[in-house]
Amino acid sequence: MATGGGWAPARSVERHGAPRGGGGTRSKSVAPCPRRPSPSPARSRPAPDNGGSADSCRVRVAIRLRPKNSEDLAYGSDFDSCVELQPESKRLKLKKNNWICESYKFDEVFSENASQKRVYEVVAKPVVESVLEGYNGTVMAYGQTGTGKTYTVGRLGKDDPSERGIMVRALEHILSSMSFETDRVAISYLQLYLESVQDLLDPEKTNIPIVEDAKTGEISLPGASIVEIKDLEHVFHLLQIGEANRHAANTKMNTESSRSHAILIIHLQRSSRIKEENSSLSNDTHDIFPDDLPLVLKSKLLIVDLAGSERIDKSGSEGHMIEEAKFINLSLTSLGKCINALAENSPHIPTRDSKLTRILRDSFGGTARTSLVVTIGPSSRHYSETSSTIMFGQRAMKVVNTIKLKEEVDYETLYKKVEREVDQLTSEMERQQKLMKNEKMQLDKKLKESEGSFHDLRMTSNIRIENLEKEKCQLESAVKTLMRDLEEERGQNNLLSEQIAELEKLVNENKQQQLENLSRMKIFTDTTKEHEKEMEELLRQLQEERRCSSSLKDRMSVLQQELCDAQSSTQLQESMAHELEKKLTKVTEEFTSQEVIYEELKSTQEKVQQEMLHRQGLEDQILRLKWSTSDICAEESKTSYGMVRSGSGLGNAAFVSKSGKIREALSGQRGTISKIFEEVGLPNVLALLKSEDLDVQIHAVKVVANLAAEDINQERIVEEGGLDALLSLLETSENTTIHRVTAGAVANLAMNGSNQGVIMNKGGARLLANVASKTEDPQTLRLVAGAIANLCGNEKLHLMLKRDGGIKALLGMVRSGHAEVIAQIARGIANFAKCESRVISQGHRKGRSLLIEDGVLTWMVANSTRFSHSTTRHIELAFCHLAQNEDNTCDIIASGGIKELLRISRESPRDDARNLAKMALDSNPAFLREVQ
């Protein structure tokens, strides 16, 4: 619906509400019509009283405490709650420590158990009712990222009405209070992203201008879509479109962090008839013009979901997300300055510092009735952010608005009504005249006919009376006959009733016997099915145990080969492994012939797995000691080159944190690398990558890798040909150390979105997949998996990544069994699935997931609960995103994924994973049928 269509005013009337108290009045003035005089106002109407309090027109501020999430609970007693609520006195205590505590008073205090309905009725309902009376209103949510602003304001709750936020409840309230015959309601849904106003209902409309009326000072957004709504289903559809187009990202503090300010503008137009009295008008004037003038109330409601303020060090924002955070914090800072200036009655209000403050100009210090809900978290880890949010709310309570009622005389409706009444009266008068003439002619004709027929009726009536007397006698005799027949039929009916009762008794006895037989058959059938299921489960467990036994044998042989190269300290574990292997072989042979000893085999396998984990930990520690010793020795022997390796992910971080000597060496290496970069220069460092000396080549790659860990150096490395040199080393070198360090450097460069396309175009994914297929070194595989996982986060590269074998190589690295390698694999799959789900939901691509074709789905279903919590979380998120695509339904059902979705929806510790699983199950009919 185009902007302004059907909303043009005929005559403007303003009513000013008193800023304090409920005893103020409002008056209206009507300008004279240029064609004919209109009656002048003769009375005033009081402004609506909001409870009669003396601060009814100041900004109302409520504070809402978010419940503790899994991260808050994970920190435990190290970070106790810094907030204490006193809802009965509407106060909040903020504890800095055990000795210092500050108390603040708000208009309302909501605990973590407060319902969405109560928040709406206290915060938004008074504003919505004021908007229905013709006043402008604003409801806004402010707070730190991850504290529940979008949940409070924008939650749709289509499946669970109790979860609905302020937007849906406000529109539901407005629709139920309006008459669609005379009233109209329309919405605009916008977002302020990177200081650009964008239309969420029509994403092609970007950078919408903000226009201020020079006369009235009203703010408008020409070009924004205004869609008229009629029912709640239409509202849900529009809000879902807006939410899908809104920018969001995954940060450390919030998996679905809003990266823009969302603004829902609700336009209302309601009819209002106010009787105008003027004794100077004559009776003739009253006959021509009606006493009631049709008036139109126009109002506007803004519901604002502000993006959360955040700190980069806590949110972990990188790349483009840093730019988003900068604009978010800049606009929130400008809003805070305006609030401070209004609270201090400053003569200058800096509303033009930001587009957000320009849009909200009427909300703070303007003519709108404003309510603000401030959201905070309980954890003392964010004490400074919580304190800043509370102070913002305290300052906002000092802002006073002067509300105004705007009415317009609807001359178009008045003219149409008068014209319609004149036409009706004219046609009615003509019709009455014609009817009177026709009636007169018909009455004359009827009079003549009645005179002639009266004589005939008189003659025939006598004959009819005689006939009726004869018929009466016949009917009396027929009634007597029927009564005799009725008595006979009653006797027959009594006999039949007795026979029917006997038959019913026999039928009931037969039914009871049949029911007993059916119940016995049902019990027998259920028992048979249960036995069949138990047999199938036992057979499946036997097959799994056999597969585990064979895999344990293979794994034991590999471990024996690796233990031959370990130090003498592992000899004791080797002998124990041989003994356990013999026991396992013996138990496996016996298991094929005797299934009675199943429990003994299971306990032996658990001991073998524990011993394998212990031995693997010892082997990893020995390898780390070897790598650390070789790195330190290489540094001492190659000081002339000054090329050392920093701890940016190419070594083992756990060992660095434990060894004080290596920590001192790494701190010295960082200084050495900076000095090399300044004195030698990047071109000379890159030239050493082509050195024929292997040690020089290795240390040169380490220096480049550490330089690539800094964003400021990545663009220069690519421009100077560093990426080409690194990819050439991956292709030509056969040295494991070169492969490991080079893969780490490429992984650092792949953190930058602009470098990801260059890496793919130069065949980087193909080279990384080739290295992964050739090496068995867990550290090399971890870095290769990390590089591919970074590339998976770019949805534009998915087809190229699959074509070059990146996905297949990523899944193939599972063979290492190393926890850190599998963690990187799970992260890559989660990045790929999330980006692919977003592209499919936006309509840019259709069809099955590219991951399913390479067997990723089967692996996730089989291994979702075998690894660490972080790895399991990535696998669960990837699985839930795959389930959002209806084209994957058949594959998920065939692989047994329904049970996994049910487990995630009930047992996952992450709220976002549980919500995604529930959404997939509820929205897919095929899943619902499988569950039932």
Side-chain angles (χ1 to χ4, degrees):
M1 174 173 153
T3 304
W7 299 78
R11 182 170 57 178
S12 175
V13 180
E14 283 194 353
R15 301 183 178 183
H16 300 272
R20 296 284 181 183
T25 61
R26 59 181 183 182
S27 63
K28 74 179 176 111
S29 60
V30 183
C33 179
R35 292 183 295 176
R36 63 189 183 191
S38 70
S40 59
R43 64 176 179 175
S44 63
R45 294 166 59 187
D49 184 11
N50 231 358
S53 62
D55 54 352
S56 60
C57 291
R58 70 166 172 82
V59 175
R60 313 284 293 180
V61 181
I63 192 161
R64 187 179 193 184
L65 178 63
R66 171 182 59 75
K68 288 186 177 182
N69 54 26
S70 58
E71 293 182 3
D72 297 334
L73 296 174
Y75 281 94
S77 60
D78 294 337
F79 293 97
D80 292 333
S81 175
C82 65
V83 177
E84 179 182 346
L85 301 183
Q86 297 176 342
E88 63 279 357
S89 60
K90 298 182 180 180
R91 284 190 171 274
L92 175 146
K93 287 187 178 181
L94 183 64
K95 298 184 291 184
K96 187 172 184 181
N97 50 44
N98 293 333
W99 302 276
I100 300 177
C101 175
E102 296 178 350
S103 177
Y104 302 95
K105 182 176 176 61
F106 289 91
D107 293 308
E108 188 64 39
V109 174
F110 297 110
S111 67
E112 61 270 22
N113 298 321
S115 65
Q116 292 281 76
K117 180 179 179 181
R118 182 168 178 265
V119 172
Y120 170 77
E121 290 180 348
V122 175
V123 175
K125 186 176 181 180
V127 178
V128 173
E129 291 178 346
S130 179
V131 171
L132 288 171
E133 294 178 1
Y135 297 91
N136 290 340
T138 301
V139 179
M140 186 170 69
Y142 177 90
Q144 182 191 7
T145 182
T147 55
K149 298 182 298 302
T150 303
Y151 174 81
T152 301
V153 175
R155 183 79 169 186
L156 293 182
K158 189 173 182 180
D159 298 327
D160 187 0
S162 65
E163 293 288 315
R164 292 176 181 174
I166 291 176
M167 287 184 180
V168 177
R169 292 181 184 273
L171 286 167
E172 186 178 11
H173 186 177
I174 290 172
L175 290 173
S176 64
S177 303
M178 296 185 62
S179 172
F180 290 105
E181 296 179 357
T182 57
D183 304 338
R184 300 174 66 188
V185 58
I187 66 169
S188 299
Y189 202 7
L190 311 171
Q191 72 171 351
L192 182 60
Y193 178 68
L194 299 180
E195 278 301 295
S196 173
V197 181
Q198 303 175 4
D199 196 331
L200 291 175
L201 301 180
D202 189 357
E204 295 181 358
K205 295 181 179 180
T206 58
N207 202 16
I208 298 173
I210 301 174
V211 178
E212 180 179 352
D213 193 320
K215 295 181 180 180
T216 64
E218 293 184 357
I219 300 297
S220 61
L221 298 163
S225 299
I226 302 178
V227 182
E228 187 171 353
I229 59 175
K230 292 295 184 182
D231 53 41
L232 197 58
E233 287 298 325
H234 192 195
V235 170
F236 279 121
H237 176 67
L238 295 177
L239 293 181
Q240 285 175 343
I241 292 175
E243 288 300 319
N245 293 325
R246 188 177 179 188
H247 288 273
N250 185 359
T251 66
K252 291 181 179 179
M253 299 185 68
N254 192 353
T255 56
E256 293 293 336
S257 175
S258 302
R259 313 305 294 171
S260 65
H261 306 300
I263 304 169
L264 178 68
I265 305 176
I266 304 174
H267 306 272
L268 272 78
Q269 177 175 304
R270 307 192 70 190
S271 62
S272 174
R273 301 180 61 88
I274 301 176
K275 187 175 181 180
E276 303 292 341
E277 299 176 358
N278 193 331
S279 59
S280 61
L281 295 177
S282 63
N283 292 332
D284 295 337
T285 305
H286 283 290
D287 293 337
I288 296 174
F289 303 109
D291 292 336
D292 294 337
L293 291 176
L295 301 179
V296 176
L297 293 175
K298 281 191 175 182
S299 57
K300 181 170 61 176
L301 174 61
L302 272 67
I303 303 178
V304 185
D305 178 15
L306 296 176
S309 59
E310 64 180 52
R311 292 186 178 179
I312 304 302
D313 56 346
K314 290 186 177 182
S315 65
S317 299
E318 298 176 350
H320 185 64
M321 291 172 60
I322 295 179
E323 190 72 13
E324 295 174 339
K326 181 176 71 175
F327 278 99
I328 290 171
N329 292 336
L330 180 62
S331 59
L332 292 177
T333 302
S334 300
L335 178 61
K337 290 180 180 179
C338 292
I339 296 296
N340 291 342
L342 289 167
E344 297 171 0
N345 293 324
S346 175
H348 172 65
I349 311 300
T351 57
R352 293 186 176 274
D353 290 356
S354 169
K355 289 186 178 181
L356 176 64
T357 55
R358 292 185 65 191
I359 294 174
L360 298 179
R361 178 177 179 180
D362 196 42
S363 303
F364 293 97
T367 61
R369 189 183 299 277
T370 301
S371 287
L372 173 66
V373 56
V374 176
T375 60
I376 59 174
S379 177
S380 59
R381 291 184 297 122
H382 309 299
Y383 171 82
S384 59
E385 290 86 347
T386 303
S387 177
S388 175
T389 303
I390 291 173
M391 293 309 299
F392 178 89
Q394 289 289 300
R395 288 190 291 269
M397 292 177 65
K398 299 179 182 179
V399 178
V400 178
N401 295 347
T402 303
I403 62 172
K404 293 182 180 181
L405 179 68
K406 185 176 181 181
E407 291 183 335
E408 298 173 353
V409 178
D410 193 352
Y411 280 112
E412 182 180 357
T413 303
L414 177 61
Y415 173 77
K416 290 180 180 179
K417 179 180 178 182
V418 172
E419 187 179 42
R420 185 168 58 253
E421 290 179 353
V422 170
D423 292 339
Q424 290 177 353
L425 291 174
T426 303
S427 61
E428 181 67 20
M429 183 177 65
E430 293 175 352
R431 188 179 67 83
Q432 291 292 340
Q433 290 178 351
K434 187 176 180 180
L435 286 174
M436 290 175 64
K437 185 176 180 181
N438 292 334
E439 287 178 358
K440 184 178 179 182
M441 294 175 64
Q442 290 176 1
L443 288 174
D444 292 340
K445 184 178 180 180
K446 287 180 180 180
L447 181 60
K448 293 179 181 179
E449 292 176 353
S450 60
E451 288 177 353
S453 60
F454 179 73
H455 179 72
D456 296 336
L457 289 172
R458 197 169 183 181
M459 296 295 292
T460 56
S461 60
N462 294 328
I463 299 172
R464 286 183 180 179
I465 290 171
E466 294 176 356
N467 294 332
L468 288 174
E469 289 179 353
K470 293 179 181 179
E471 290 177 359
K472 180 180 178 182
C473 294
Q474 294 175 357
L475 288 174
E476 287 178 353
S477 62
V479 167
K480 292 179 180 179
T481 305
L482 289 174
M483 290 297 292
R484 287 195 301 269
D485 296 339
L486 181 61
E487 291 295 334
E488 293 177 357
E489 289 181 358
R490 284 179 181 176
Q492 295 177 359
N493 288 338
N494 292 332
L495 293 174
L496 291 174
S497 298
E498 293 176 356
Q499 294 176 359
I500 289 171
E502 293 178 356
L503 290 174
E504 286 179 349
K505 184 177 180 180
L506 294 174
V507 169
N508 291 332
E509 292 177 355
N510 291 332
K511 284 184 178 178
Q512 188 173 1
Q513 292 178 357
Q514 290 178 358
L515 289 174
E516 291 177 355
N517 294 333
L518 288 175
S519 61
R520 291 173 185 172
M521 289 295 295
K522 185 175 182 182
I523 292 171
F524 178 74
T525 304
D526 293 342
T527 306
T528 304
K529 290 181 179 179
E530 290 177 359
H531 287 307
E532 290 177 354
K533 290 181 180 178
E534 291 177 357
M535 292 293 292
E536 292 177 357
E537 182 66 21
L538 289 174
L539 290 173
R540 186 182 63 79
Q541 292 178 358
L542 286 174
Q543 292 176 358
E544 290 180 357
E545 292 299 333
R546 289 171 181 170
R547 287 197 297 271
C548 292
S549 298
S550 61
S551 63
L552 285 174
K553 288 180 181 179
D554 297 338
R555 185 61 180 167
M556 288 293 292
S557 62
V558 173
L559 289 174
Q560 287 176 358
Q561 185 65 30
E562 291 178 354
L563 284 175
C564 292
D565 301 331
Q567 295 181 355
S568 59
S569 61
T570 60
Q571 292 178 356
L572 179 59
Q573 285 75 11
E574 286 182 358
S575 61
M576 294 175 65
H578 286 302
E579 293 176 2
L580 291 174
E581 183 181 6
K582 292 177 181 179
K583 291 181 180 180
L584 178 62
T585 305
K586 183 178 179 181
V587 171
T588 305
E589 293 173 354
E590 294 177 356
F591 180 81
T592 58
S593 61
Q594 299 178 1
E595 295 180 358
V596 181
I597 57 173
Y598 169 76
E599 293 298 330
E600 183 180 355
L601 173 60
K602 187 173 181 181
S603 62
T604 305
Q605 287 177 340
E606 290 176 353
K607 292 179 182 179
V608 171
Q609 291 177 355
Q610 292 176 358
E611 187 61 24
M612 287 171 59
L613 293 174
H614 180 63
R615 290 170 54 200
Q616 185 175 357
L618 292 175
E619 290 171 4
D620 292 343
Q621 190 170 4
I622 290 169
L623 289 175
R624 292 168 186 154
L625 289 171
K626 285 183 178 180
W627 294 334
S628 302
T629 305
S630 62
D631 287 342
I632 293 173
C633 293
E635 178 191 359
E636 293 175 353
S637 61
K638 297 294 180 179
T639 52
S640 59
Y641 296 103
M643 299 172 186
V644 293
R645 170 185 173 184
S646 71
S648 63
L650 302 179
N652 190 288
F655 177 71
V656 171
S657 64
K658 295 178 182 178
S659 174
K661 293 182 179 180
I662 296 177
R663 227 180 1 247
E664 294 175 0
L666 290 176
S667 62
Q669 288 173 5
R670 295 190 184 95
T672 305
I673 290 172
S674 300
K675 189 177 295 182
I676 290 171
F677 186 73
E678 294 174 1
E679 296 178 1
V680 179
L682 181 60
N684 294 329
V685 173
L686 296 177
L688 293 175
L689 295 175
K690 302 178 181 179
S691 174
E692 296 181 358
D693 189 337
L694 184 60
D695 291 335
V696 173
Q697 208 173 36
I698 290 173
H699 286 286
V701 176
K702 292 179 181 179
V703 172
V704 174
N706 283 280
L707 291 174
E710 301 293 333
D711 294 341
I712 194 173
N713 300 328
Q714 292 178 354
E715 186 175 358
R716 287 191 57 194
I717 291 173
V718 175
E719 291 177 352
E720 295 290 342
L723 178 60
D724 295 335
L726 292 171
L727 296 178
S728 177
L729 286 175
L730 283 178
E731 186 174 11
T732 59
S733 178
E734 297 295 331
N735 185 273
T736 303
T737 305
I738 289 289
H739 287 167
R740 181 174 67 252
V741 181
T742 305
V746 174
N748 287 341
L749 291 175
M751 292 293 291
N752 191 314
S754 60
N755 294 339
Q756 293 173 351
V758 180
I759 293 172
M760 291 298 299
N761 291 331
K762 293 182 180 292
R766 177 180 55 80
L767 295 174
L768 290 169
N770 189 31
V771 171
S773 65
K774 292 180 179 180
T775 184
E776 295 296 332
D777 177 43
Q779 297 303 321
T780 304
L781 292 175
R782 177 176 66 85
L783 294 172
V784 171
I788 296 177
N790 292 338
L791 295 174
C792 287
N794 191 335
E795 61 269 15
K796 299 179 181 177
L797 307 177
H798 283 180
L799 292 174
M800 295 178 63
L801 197 61
K802 176 174 175 58
R803 182 195 63 194
D804 292 345
I807 304 302
K808 188 174 182 180
L810 194 66
L811 191 61
M813 285 183 277
V814 173
R815 69 182 185 276
S816 70
H818 197 276
E820 295 180 355
V821 177
I822 293 177
Q824 294 297 327
I825 294 171
R827 183 174 69 87
I829 292 173
N831 288 344
F832 194 104
K834 182 175 182 180
C835 294
E836 185 182 60
S837 176
R838 181 169 62 246
V839 171
I840 291 174
S841 65
Q842 293 175 354
H844 300 311
R845 193 174 76 78
K846 294 182 178 179
R848 294 170 66 220
S849 172
L850 300 177
L851 294 173
I852 294 178
E853 299 176 5
D854 286 330
V856 174
L857 178 62
T858 304
W859 178 79
M860 287 194 298
V861 172
N863 301 276
S864 61
T865 59
R866 290 181 54 191
F867 307 112
S868 64
H869 293 299
S870 59
T871 303
T872 300
R873 182 174 66 87
H874 285 305
I875 293 175
E876 289 178 349
L877 286 175
F879 190 85
C880 291
H881 282 297
L882 287 178
Q884 305 301 315
N885 184 2
E886 293 185 356
D887 293 333
N888 301 334
T889 301
C890 295
D891 298 284
I892 292 174
I893 294 173
S895 64
I898 298 298
K899 294 182 179 179
E900 185 59 20
L901 274 177
L902 287 171
R903 184 194 65 78
I904 295 171
S905 67
R906 297 169 181 170
E907 302 175 5
S908 176
R910 298 285 300 185
D911 293 340
D912 50 353
R914 289 202 306 272
N915 292 336
L916 283 173
K918 291 177 182 177
M919 185 187 302
L921 289 170
D922 294 340
S923 61
N924 195 318
F927 289 168
L928 291 175
R929 288 195 299 271
E930 288 295 321
V931 170
Q932 293 172 356

